[in-house]
Amino acid sequence: MYSKRYLFLFRSAPQKNCRTSELLDNVLTVAAFDQPVTVLFLDDGVYCLKSNSSPEDTHRFSVSFSSLAFYAIRDTLVEYESLKERRLTVLDCSIAATVIYRSEIAGLVATHDYVVST
Amino acid sequence: MKYMIQISYAPGQSASSWNAYEFIQTALKEGHEVLRVFFYHDGVYHGVCPRLPSGRAAFFPDWIALVRVYNIALVVCTSALERRGIHPTNLTEGFQTGGLGLWMDASLKADRVIFF
């Protein structure tokens, strides 16, 4: 059985278009094939993790990332600098995510076979 | 080398589809293999491009020529079509529909996956 390591980068806000939702479909498909998956939220992609605290926060392109846990995707990462630039913290994230620093991302990319981004 | 190619942008939305088309032609001429061309996100619009009276739209790459000459598989994602309200029966002849399972299959077999 082939095995490749996939890294998915969520870099766009979910309100922008349906690409975020489609990339999530891609993530779940890869996980369903039992391939190692890492998900990283950076740039405006950190807004994907922002908790919906009011009805106004929902929108036509709302995407729920809670399904990541059901597919046993344990490597869910968020970039510290992207959170800080948007005045967010890891406590604002709706799902559990490990903080990674910008300086570490190059090393992370190097350990994966495919990098897929929004 | 074996490649899978993903097209993510609609015709006219980005020049990347032309870059992809030229890349594929060059790769094939140099003896490489293109396992599949997968149209995802707005790239699905390539499968429904309208035809001018001359028979070919000027700013759409001639994907069907790749099928005709090299027998390349052009797969348009079914779920992405549905999201955009496009019925699979409206696809241009030569394009096939398929799910992310085909994306997965090709990515596992390929040496490289290139996103345009």
Side-chain angles (χ1 to χ4, degrees):
Chain A
M1 170 80 178
Y2 300 102
S3 181
K4 301 274 174 74
R5 291 184 56 87
Y6 295 78
L7 172 62
F8 289 90
L9 305 180
F10 286 84
R11 304 185 66 179
S12 302
Q15 299 89 340
K16 195 176 173 188
N17 49 43
C18 58
R19 287 176 70 107
T20 298
S21 178
E22 289 175 336
L23 189 66
L24 180 60
D25 287 347
N26 213 341
V27 170
L28 299 180
T29 300
V30 173
F33 275 73
D34 290 328
Q35 299 298 309
V37 175
T38 304
V39 178
L40 171 61
F41 297 88
L42 71 165
D43 300 331
D44 283 344
V46 299
Y47 289 120
C48 296
L49 297 179
K50 187 171 177 298
S51 306
N52 288 339
S53 56
S54 68
E56 289 74 31
D57 287 341
T58 60
H59 49 81
R60 68 182 67 184
F61 296 127
S62 280
V63 182
S64 173
F65 287 87
S66 55
S67 50
L68 292 179
F70 292 114
Y71 283 77
I73 295 170
R74 282 167 287 181
D75 289 335
T76 302
L77 309 172
V78 60
E79 192 201 45
Y80 171 78
E81 287 82 355
S82 294
L83 284 173
K84 188 178 175 188
E85 287 160 4
R86 290 156 183 81
R87 299 186 184 181
L88 297 171
T89 69
V90 69
L91 298 175
D92 295 309
C93 297
S94 57
I95 61 171
T98 303
V99 171
I100 183 173
Y101 294 95
R102 191 164 287 170
S103 58
E104 298 173 302
I105 289 177
L108 177 73
V109 169
T111 60
H112 289 77
D113 298 297
Y114 296 137
V115 181
V116 189
S117 176
T118 52
Chain B
M1 193 167 275
K2 296 178 184 175
Y3 292 96
M4 186 188 83
I5 309 295
Q6 177 174 313
I7 309 298
S8 304
Y9 292 93
Q13 187 179 28
S14 168
S16 60
S17 53
W18 276 109
N19 294 338
Y21 185 75
E22 289 170 8
F23 175 89
I24 291 168
Q25 283 192 308
T26 305
L28 291 169
K29 284 174 187 170
E30 297 201 354
H32 298 288
E33 189 179 349
V34 176
L35 297 175
R36 193 163 285 143
V37 181
F38 195 85
F39 296 85
Y40 197 38
H41 304 304
D42 287 339
V44 299
Y45 287 112
H46 283 271
V48 291
C49 56
R51 296 284 156 190
L52 294 175
S54 62
R56 180 170 173 272
F59 57 96
F60 295 77
D62 192 359
W63 297 108
I64 303 305
L66 290 180
V67 177
R68 203 181 312 123
V69 176
Y70 300 105
N71 198 29
I72 295 292
L74 307 176
V75 178
V76 180
C77 181
T78 313
S79 59
L81 282 174
E82 281 181 18
R83 271 201 179 91
R84 288 155 181 81
I86 302 170
H87 199 276
T89 55
N90 293 328
L91 282 184
T92 303
E93 193 176 336
F95 287 86
Q96 312 163 20
T97 54
L100 287 169
L102 290 181
W103 184 98
M104 193 65 220
D105 174 68
S107 72
L108 286 173
K109 293 173 182 169
D111 298 307
R112 295 281 187 276
V113 176
I114 307 195
F115 299 87
F116 287 91

